[in-house]
Structure formats: structure tokens, C-alpha cells
Amino acid sequence: MKKIAISMLLILTMVVGILAGCTNSTPAPAPTKEADNNTTDVLVIGGGGAGLVASITAAENGAKVILVEKMPAVGGNTIISATGITASDTKLHEAAGRPFTKEEHFKKTMETSKDLADEKLVKLLVDSSNDAYEWLLTLGLKYKLDPKDAFWIIPEEGHYGALLVKAYQAEAAKYPNIDLRVETKATELVVENDKVVGAKVTGKDGKEQIIKAKSVILATGGLNNAPEMIAEFNPKYAGVNTEMTTPGATGDGIKMAQAIGAQLKDMEHFQMRPLSLNGYWFKEVIVNEEGKGGILVNKDAKRFVDETLKPLDLASEILKQQDKMAYVVIDSDVFATKDGAKMIDKAKGVKADTIEDLAKQLGLDPAALKATIDEYNAKNDAFGRKTFGKVATAPFYGAITKPSSHYTMGGVAINENAQVLDKDGNAIEGLYAAGEIVGGLYGAGRVAGNNTLDDIVFGKIAAKHAIGK
Ligand code: ADP
């Protein structure tokens, strides 16, 4: 079929060439097979949530799509999204009699952003959230309301991100007009006469090619796996670890857009998980709960911080310690909680009947750790901690923990059509962005679950505008 389509196209091109020859003495050369393969209506860069949604949307509207993904498989950080989607005024809310209204959704998103978010984009996100949720149902996904928080919509069962990406892949596979190329990395945007007309990509074979497109949609995610870029945009997080990201999140789209004069927004803001290891996030309650929480110590077995600080500050204090890490030390009361047990399990922590033995197993000085814990239990604190826990009931547990970046708030500025803006606020012709690469949507903080929502909302908006729908 494909061969026939290509031959038809060649014939058509020759006919056009001949007709053109009637008015022009030099006939245009027929395009090579490679040039034809590398010409498309829409080039989508990045195959996470936003890129897959954008590709599906463009394809279902009849456009020819090339989707390039630099990793061997699609999914990006969307596939590790653990919990659910945030949407307001859905049938689920109505049926459960537990409202989460558009107004509440807007207010929560703005407040979490510290009022830095672009109100127009947030309004669009919120107003489209029910449609986005309903669309997920058409893909066969099944959800329920979170028992605790009405803003959360979670899978009836299974892992949220994995199921989401599986459903997107299955939907994308229905469209022969989506040409998915994995292990294909976009490296540079191609601009002609102030319009983005494609991108340079490097494929599996290491050869550089140019893909020509009427529009390009950047969906390359954030920069959680680019610690050097994070440090550049916010030195407070210099040396941050990459425990909570997939490898592809290296800010490529931001760099490519920046290179052609795109405007960046809110680049200093990140979501940090101060306590994480091996791909898991551990709740700060382990060390900050009043009456119960344990402590953090550094390689000298000394406390160095008020453990009840806000996550962003706690992360930056840990990053000032040797090897940019700390040890969590808790007693059996914390271990008896879900979060305590999870941390020791996932971070491969150790257990001991005495503090001295725990120290030995962690490679810390036993006398120093004992002294630190005695001080803490006596509520002697040099760091301004107002509420105390305790590390008193054996057995004791300890584990390494590292701060890592979990979400990039900043990114390229877009308008309500998802068109990327230049430094003067004008749309760059031919260039769109959707997903975590976008800046301005969350200001200084993100409501959990809004991110997979924005993949859908802005992925669809970008694709439709790109093809004039
Ligand atoms: P979002 O939620 O915004 O879709 P994800 O992290 O889920 O973000 O997906 C982004 C995807 O983009 C990842 O799969 C990543 O590997 C891919 N990607 C990043 N940079 C490039 C690039 N230069 N070329 C192709 N794909 C890229």
C-alpha cells in the first residue's frame, strides 16, 4: 500500500512538474524517496503524553504526522505518573456528590502557582478538563474519584501512567498516517523566512536528516534529567539528583526553542522531592511529623537542618551536604506507618536494635550518631525546629535519601493556540508546544494531576491549530 501511495505521489509530482514546465523552462527535480519520507504536515518531537495526544489529534483530522522519539520507546515521564488526573465538574463528581468545581480547580491552580500562572492558559486548562477526562473514557480507560481528595481522578485499578501511555499507544497505532520513529532525536529547528519549517533529526544509524513540516510541535518534556541546566536556572538546586525521572527529560526542546529566539518563562521554578531514591519519592512526614518524625543526618552523623522546612528548602539544604545526600533515621513507630515502611523497603534501608549498630551499618560514626539522637530526643536543636518527633523506640531504621527534581514548572511561553512565543510575545510561525516543556502554566507550583491533563488539553489545541482545524 505504502509503495503504491509513494508511486502515486511520484506520478503526481511529475505531472505537476510537467505542468510547471509549461511556464518555467527549468523543470523542478522530482523529490527523492528520502525527501518524500521526510516531508509531513506535522512533525511532533517527543513521544510522551503530550506528543502522543498531539499526534493522535492531528492524525484523526487527516494530517500526515511524523512523531520522533529519541528513546527506544515512547512514554517519557508520563509513563511514571503515579497517581491520577485532575479534572473538574465531571460525571464522577456529580455521581459521588463530592463536587470539585471549575472555580475551585482554577483557584487551586492559581494559588499553587503563587499567582504566577498565566490566567488565560489556566482558564483554558480548567474549562477543557472535563472534555479531556471524557476523551480518556473513549480510549477504554476506567477511573474513580480518589477516596480522600475530590480533585483526584484515579484508575479503577492499576498504574495510572502506564495505563495512560498504553491507551495512547493503542490509539496512535490505529492511524497509518502516524509515522512513529523511535531512537530518533531532534537536534535543531529549521527556520526559513521566520517560519519554522522542520527539524534536523539524528536516527538510529547516526545519520542526520532534515524532516520538513508545515508545523512542528515540541513535546519534549522538562529538564529533570539535566542537572546542569537546573543549576543554571536555579543555583539553589545545583547538583540535584535524578532519582525521579526517565532519561529523556534533558530539556532538548527548551534549548532548540531558545536557539531560535523563543521566550522562556518561570525557569527558576521546579518541583523537588527532597527525599527520594531508586525512582521512589518518600513523604516528608517521615521526618517532620510532630511527636513521631525521625531525623536527617549528613555523613558526619550530624543533623544539619530543620526537617520541617518546606520541600523546596529542605531539598536545597540536603544538596549543601557532602555528596548531596542525607540519611533518614527513624524508629519503629515511624516504620509502622505506610510511608516509613515504604521508605525502608524501596531505599533498601537497614535495621538495628541499637543506634550504634545502625550507624555501623550505614557507615556512620556510632558515637556521633548516638550523640545526635540524644540531643534531638532532648529537644536540643540548633536549626529552629519548632515541633519535634523522636527516635526512641527500637528497632531503629536508616536509609540513604537524595533530593531530585520531579517537575519542571518553567519552559517555553505559549499563547492560547499553543503557539510558541518569541521574546516580544509574538507567535513564532509554524512552532507549537505542549506538555511539560511549556512555561507559564504553573508559575511556582503545580497541582498534582494537572500535568497529564495539560498534555491532553494543549496537545489537542496545538495539533488542531497546526492543521487549521
Ligand atoms: P510530556 O508529559 O510533556 O509529554 P514526557 O516526559 O512524558 O513529557 O515526554 C517527553 C518525551 O520527549 C520523552 O519521551 C523524551 O524522551 C522525548 N524527547 C526529549 N527530547 C527529545 C528529542 N530531542 N527528540 C525526540 N524526543 C525527545
Side-chain angles (χ1 to χ4, degrees):
M1 262 318 274
K2 207 169 167 193
K3 268 192 188 151
I4 297 173
I6 290 168
S7 325
M8 291 285 290
L9 205 77
L10 279 175
I11 293 166
L12 199 71
T13 318
M14 279 162 69
V15 171
V16 172
I18 291 162
L19 288 177
C22 297
T23 51
N24 186 337
S25 54
T26 0
T32 61
K33 194 167 168 224
E34 179 173 308
D36 182 53
N37 269 339
N38 285 339
T39 304
T40 187
D41 294 322
V42 183
L43 169 63
V44 180
I45 304 178
L52 286 164
V53 173
S55 301
I56 293 165
T57 308
E60 72 190 3
N61 282 287
K64 181 178 168 193
V65 179
I66 296 178
L67 166 59
V68 293
E69 165 55 55
K70 71 176 175 178
M71 302 305 292
V74 295
N77 274 351
T78 304
I79 209 168
I80 58 167
S81 296
T83 337
I85 188 165
T86 295
S88 38
D89 280 333
T90 70
K91 283 192 193 122
L92 277 182
H93 296 102
E94 201 184 314
R98 295 171 57 208
F100 177 59
T101 63
K102 281 185 191 171
E103 293 69 32
E104 288 168 311
H105 191 174
F106 181 82
K107 192 163 168 262
K108 191 173 173 65
T109 305
M110 289 307 298
E111 277 175 9
T112 311
S113 82
K114 301 220 162 53
D115 283 327
L116 286 175
D118 180 329
E119 289 195 5
K120 291 191 297 302
L121 297 181
V122 173
K123 178 128 187 18
L124 203 48
L125 180 79
V126 167
D127 286 348
S128 316
S129 77
N130 181 46
D131 285 350
Y133 162 71
E134 290 277 336
W135 181 67
L136 292 181
L137 303 184
T138 69
L139 304 184
L141 292 162
K142 291 194 168 42
Y143 295 103
K144 61 183 179 192
L145 274 195
D146 180 80
K148 281 212 305 284
D149 294 309
F151 72 89
W152 273 120
I153 294 177
I154 62 174
E156 275 190 358
E157 54 187 353
H159 185 278
Y160 172 68
L163 290 170
L164 194 63
V165 169
K166 197 169 156 211
Y168 290 162
Q169 274 182 286
E171 187 63 16
K174 290 183 189 161
Y175 295 99
N177 45 334
I178 299 180
D179 175 356
L180 167 63
R181 302 182 189 179
V182 293
E183 291 181 78
T184 304
K185 178 180 173 174
T187 53
E188 197 180 319
L189 294 168
V190 178
V191 181
E192 280 171 13
N193 303 320
D194 295 331
K195 181 181 185 316
V196 174
V197 293
K200 286 187 184 164
V201 305
T202 307
K204 273 183 226 185
D205 55 7
K207 265 199 350 218
E208 187 173 88
Q209 298 179 7
I210 290 183
I211 298 180
K212 291 280 243 168
K214 290 180 191 150
S215 306
V216 175
I217 300 176
L218 291 171
T220 48
L223 41 93
N224 297 319
N225 194 29
E228 67 300 337
M229 274 177 92
I230 295 177
E232 187 190 318
F233 287 114
N234 193 334
K236 191 172 150 183
Y237 305 127
V240 71
N241 298 284
T242 54
E243 299 286 331
M244 293 285 301
T245 179
T246 51
T250 49
D252 300 7
I254 293 173
K255 284 189 261 187
M256 285 187 275
Q258 210 180 4
I260 64 154
Q263 183 190 142
L264 303 186
K265 268 192 167 170
D266 300 330
M267 289 309 298
E268 68 277 33
H269 297 297
F270 295 88
Q271 182 174 29
M272 291 283 156
R273 296 295 193 205
L275 311 183
S276 69
L277 202 76
N278 300 333
Y280 293 94
W281 160 50
F282 310 115
K283 293 199 180 147
E284 295 84 46
V285 69
I286 297 167
V287 289
N288 69 17
E289 192 179 1
E290 190 167 2
K292 214 184 226 179
I295 55 168
L296 289 170
V297 297
N298 59 19
K299 291 207 143 180
D300 296 326
K302 295 209 165 109
R303 283 183 64 229
F304 53 89
V305 69
D306 168 4
E307 291 89 348
T308 65
L309 285 183
K310 292 215 161 66
L312 291 174
D313 297 322
L314 194 55
S316 87
E317 290 302 319
I318 299 174
L319 289 170
K320 290 179 192 160
Q321 306 307 306
Q322 190 186 341
D323 294 342
K324 318 230 170 254
M325 53 159 280
Y327 299 85
V328 169
V329 178
I330 57 174
D331 72 6
S332 56
D333 289 338
V334 179
F335 183 75
T337 64
K338 199 169 108 234
D339 295 314
K342 177 185 165 188
M343 157 135 219
I344 300 305
D345 174 35
K346 304 295 186 195
K348 305 203 183 329
V350 295
K351 173 183 176 185
D353 285 328
T354 64
I355 294 294
E356 287 86 346
D357 187 27
L358 190 79
K360 277 188 213 142
Q361 292 190 53
L362 291 172
L364 299 174
D365 182 289
L369 187 63
K370 179 79 174 69
T372 296
I373 285 173
D374 287 346
E375 285 279 291
Y376 177 69
N377 286 338
K379 300 193 167 71
N380 288 332
D381 163 74
F383 309 100
R385 184 164 172 164
K386 303 241 167 17
T387 60
F388 283 81
K390 49 125 195 127
V391 187
T393 317
F396 303 103
Y397 299 83
I400 288 174
T401 186
K402 297 179 179 181
S404 67
S405 179
H406 184 50
Y407 197 83
T408 310
M409 303 298 161
V412 299
I414 59 166
N415 63 16
E416 288 142 284
N417 300 320
Q419 290 171 288
V420 175
L421 303 178
D422 68 15
K423 295 205 176 87
D424 300 321
N426 301 314
I428 300 176
E429 222 189 315
L431 188 63
Y432 295 81
E436 195 171 343
I437 185 181
V438 168
L441 188 54
Y442 299 130
R446 166 186 71 100
V447 173
N450 263 348
N451 54 315
T452 42
L453 169 65
D454 82 53
D455 278 353
I456 303 172
V457 172
F458 290 97
K460 281 175 178 272
I461 291 174
K464 284 191 187 152
H465 199 269
I467 59 173
K469 294 274 173 180

